[in-house]
Amino acid sequence: MSGELRSESLEQALAGPRWKRVVLKLSGEALASSASDETIDAAIVSRLAGEIAASCAELGTEMAVVIGGGNIWRGTTGAGEGMDRATSDTMGMLGTVINALALQDAIERAGQPTRVLSAVHMAEVCEPYIRRRALRHLEKGRVVILAAGMGSPYFTTDTPAALRAAEIDADVIMKGTHSGVDGVYSADPRLDPSAARFDEIGFMEVVAQDLRVMDLTAITFCRDNQIPILVFDIMQPGNIRAALSGKQIGTLIS
Ligand code: UDP
């Protein structure tokens, strides 16, 4: 280990966790395989779960994961083909429950206790989302996995991530990206090589410049309730821990 690396990890250990309680917004597509057409890639889930388990254990961070379902179904896909939008969105919400169970299994195999709480009640499968119960689990050091978004159609899981962050008094929303874009840029860096990444940016600028990092409803909700959002590349190994321990990665919207 180089002297630089050693002093960096020592610095992180001494600094402790940057935030006490976080909401991690994990897109369903992050669980899918880019190499094959696996809807849920066991190796990817295991890698993400291992990082979540290890960083929460080491840093003592309380974490609620809001899991998406885009790898299985998106409401807009069905609606675009003529399906009833509310029905199609309900299918999307059920997809998030499948992902939540996959993530729960992997995080628990990594040695970290979890609870899945769903906004659509499924007594045989997981607990219902009850705010005070979620808080109790967090206080007990369990990773809480929030499934089925808000339980209402016409939303994506970005807005429930913001809502739950406010409800459980989280210090930040960590929005993990999976498309190779590691933060908020002045333009899409995949299309415009001159695009520059912001280390920090204000909510108003994100809205005014129409920088599509999260749904607008979620962004304005976070602005109104003063919940910062860290946009970072979750597919880069080590980034969850780096973000939790305060290393400068991604873009902080505040
Ligand atoms: N969804 C919904 N209400 C919610 C959350 C999700 O109807 O509160 C549906 C919606 O159809 C969405 C799908 O669930 O397209 C999957 O969620 P999302 O698109 O956020 O998944 P991600 O992009 O994070 O993988």
Side-chain angles (χ1 to χ4, degrees):
M1 190 191 262
S2 76
E4 195 185 323
L5 271 177
R6 198 169 28 238
S7 60
E8 191 176 280
S9 43
L10 180 65
E11 206 176 279
Q12 283 178 4
L14 291 174
R18 182 176 188 187
W19 300 290
K20 182 175 184 327
R21 183 174 291 163
V22 305
V23 164
L24 175 67
K25 166 65 217 290
L26 182 56
S27 166
E29 270 174 9
L31 308 185
S33 171
S34 51
S36 68
D37 59 358
E38 292 286 343
T39 307
I40 297 175
D41 183 319
I44 295 177
V45 179
S46 163
R47 205 267 299 160
L48 290 169
E51 264 195 50
I52 290 171
S55 6
C56 288
E58 277 170 45
L59 298 166
T61 310
E62 296 174 4
M63 181 183 287
V65 183
V66 172
I67 181 82
N71 55 327
I72 296 173
W73 188 259
R74 282 183 202 285
T76 47
T77 308
E81 286 162 11
M83 265 185 90
D84 170 57
R85 171 72 191 264
T87 304
S88 189
D89 277 335
T90 303
M91 290 167 62
M93 285 188 270
L94 296 180
T96 71
V97 181
I98 295 176
N99 285 336
L101 296 179
L103 194 61
Q104 172 172 51
D105 176 79
I107 297 177
E108 294 206 332
R109 272 190 287 141
Q112 165 66 48
T114 67
R115 291 291 186 274
V116 173
L117 272 58
S118 172
V120 171
H121 294 189
M122 290 188 205
E124 288 78 7
V125 175
C126 55
E127 294 181 24
Y129 172 76
I130 296 170
R131 175 177 165 267
R132 295 176 80 107
R133 194 178 276 190
L135 288 168
R136 188 81 184 113
H137 289 318
L138 289 168
E139 286 161 7
K140 286 192 164 183
R142 296 168 182 147
V143 168
V144 170
I145 303 169
L146 298 171
M150 215 137 50
S152 306
Y154 294 93
F155 289 98
T156 72
T157 48
D158 280 351
T159 304
L163 174 66
R164 299 307 186 217
E167 287 185 68
I168 65 171
D169 200 20
D171 301 310
V172 71
I173 297 176
M174 292 168 55
K175 160 87 176 177
T177 66
H178 58 278
S179 53
V181 181
D182 60 351
V184 182
Y185 281 75
S186 51
D188 188 338
R190 292 167 299 185
L191 306 173
D192 180 351
S194 69
R197 196 190 65 192
F198 300 99
D199 287 341
E200 290 189 20
I201 189 170
F203 287 115
M204 292 312 286
E205 264 177 285
V206 172
V207 174
Q209 295 182 38
D210 196 20
L211 303 171
R212 296 175 176 264
V213 284
M214 270 181 114
D215 286 359
L216 201 53
T217 323
I219 298 277
T220 52
F221 183 93
C222 287
R223 181 199 59 190
D224 293 348
N225 293 282
Q226 290 160 17
I227 305 166
I229 305 169
L230 178 74
V231 181
F232 74 109
D233 180 4
I234 201 164
M235 302 317 277
Q236 182 69 36
N239 263 0
I240 295 176
R241 193 191 189 292
L244 288 174
S245 57
K247 200 170 170 203
Q248 167 60 52
I249 57 163
T251 302
L252 188 70
I253 310 172
S254 60

